[in-house]
Amino acid sequence: MLGLDSGLLYAIFGAALAVLLAGIGSAISVGRVGQAAAGVVSEDPDKFGSTLILQALPGTQGIYGLLVGFLVLQRTGLIGGAPAALTVEQGLAFFFACLPIAIGGMVSAFAQGKTAISGVHLVAKRPEESGKAIIFAVMVETYAVLSLLMSILTLFGIQV
Amino acid sequence: MSDQYIYAVGRIRVMETRLLDAAKINRMAEAPDAEEAFKVLGETEYAAHLADFQDVNRFEEVLAAEQRRVYLELRKMLPDSALIDLFAYQFDYHNLKVLLKAARLKENRDDLLIPDVGNIPLEELVMAVSSGDYSQLPERMRTAAEKITADFQPYLVDLWLDRALYEELLAGAKRLRSAFLQGYFTALTDLLNIKTFIRVKRLKGSADFLAAALLPGGKLDLLNLLSLEDTLEEMAERLADTPYAQVVAEGLASYQQTETLTRYEKLVDNYLLDYIKQAKYTVIGFEPVVGYLLAKENELKLIRIIMVGKINQLPVAEIRERLRDVYV
């Protein structure tokens, strides 16, 4: 099949999961916050700016997922070189390295989405407090960043 | 997580900021006369209606217009009508009561009808009552209407239709799988039943009549819990380990002194409003919509209390005494 080693297939599977799961979390959450923001803006168009920032926040997990997926492809030589001949163990190592951002990213995107919706409601009620609403949602970002960090550190630790 | 209400709740959060807050209500209550109190409404979202009804004595029309606006607005913004239908049933039942009684007394009481907000077009109800054919009405309503026409007694009109309405409300809350709504309607039913109990007791009604007058679906089994021979103190004692203990204790104490249930009714409204306030902390779900709708109903009630008080030149303290809490 395509002349790829099964080790490489595991690595690709991991990369796909990182992009997919983190992306699903972000897509759903950005969508939800967008609905809440549309509700607020339809009553009060001045709130567009601060609600837009809140909507964008849960989108970062998808980007982190893509970054990790990209790094896997690069480390395994799928882009920018010849595909490496990975053993099953090496392939699985890449797969596991992807899990933190795949799962941590998705879950933190959902959590951040909920916080951002609360933030949109806060902005609806007290527009002057939009900074605080953003900070609350940004706090959740910590855990997406930690997941990303873990995935990247592991990726670079794997010997190819 | 149910996503379908996220947009509506976003709008509700902005609409909540336009509800009258305690400060505005206070200003209305403290206004020197009805005209001044009415003017306060001009600074709120009622302003649009004030242009149509400038006369203080037409404040009821302003309130009706606002109620109509809110129901129609909420219907437009929600993905399905099940939730608003549930709260609009009361208007269908109210209209049917008016029509049935008017038909029997051969009077025209169209002034009491509430058009546009209910689920059933008024013409359909008028048609059903005038032809005596209720087959097009929802099942619970039809059964009640048929029972009423079979044996017409003015008090039975209210009794059967209220029963049907509260069955409808609880069934609707179950259909929506909402513990929040079930809790609300259960508490409402219980508190109304306690009031009915006191009234039947005062009129020295029979136990059979009481059993028929109590609404189904409450959490309390009043027939077994209380007896018509109980004194008011005994009643309060027996209800002491229910969630309504404080409402009952205070309400009955005031009833004993004043012979009216005004204070009890106020405490009931505040209790239910307190229950509803938990909706303020819901992020995803339809609870805030219910919260807003009931907050609006509460606001209409407050304005009515103030305007009636002002027009009848009641002292400020007396108006205040009757005022309920506010949602925001």
Side-chain angles (χ1 to χ4, degrees), chain A residues 6 27 36 46 49 51 61 67 81 131 152:
Chain A
S6 56
D46 295 343
T51 53
Q61 284 83 346
L67 177 65
I152 290 180

Side-chain angles (χ1 to χ4, degrees), chain A residues 28 31-33 35-44 47 110 114-115 117-118 120-121 124-126, chain B residues 1-18 73 77 280 282-284 328:
Chain A
I28 292 180
R32 283 183 176 150
V33 184
Q35 288 183 49
V40 171
V41 171
S42 74
E43 290 290 326
D44 185 354
K47 309 253 163 74
F110 284 137
K114 249 187 136 171
T115 314
I117 295 176
S118 310
V120 168
H121 293 167
K125 205 143 252 185
R126 297 179 186 279
Chain B
M1 284 207 282
S2 133
D3 279 10
Q4 47 178 341
Y5 294 98
I6 295 179
Y7 165 79
V9 173
R11 287 187 63 176
I12 291 284
R13 293 300 181 212
V14 180
M15 287 156 65
E16 273 172 7
T17 62
R18 300 181 194 137
E73 187 83 31
M77 72 166 79
K280 287 208 254 185
T282 306
V283 178
I284 294 177
V328 284

Side-chain angles (χ1 to χ4, degrees), chain B residues 269-285:
Chain B
D269 284 349
N270 283 347
Y271 178 89
L272 292 173
L273 197 68
D274 247 359
Y275 178 88
I276 289 299
K277 276 182 186 169
Q278 58 179 291
K280 287 208 254 185
Y281 308 103
T282 306
V283 178
I284 294 177

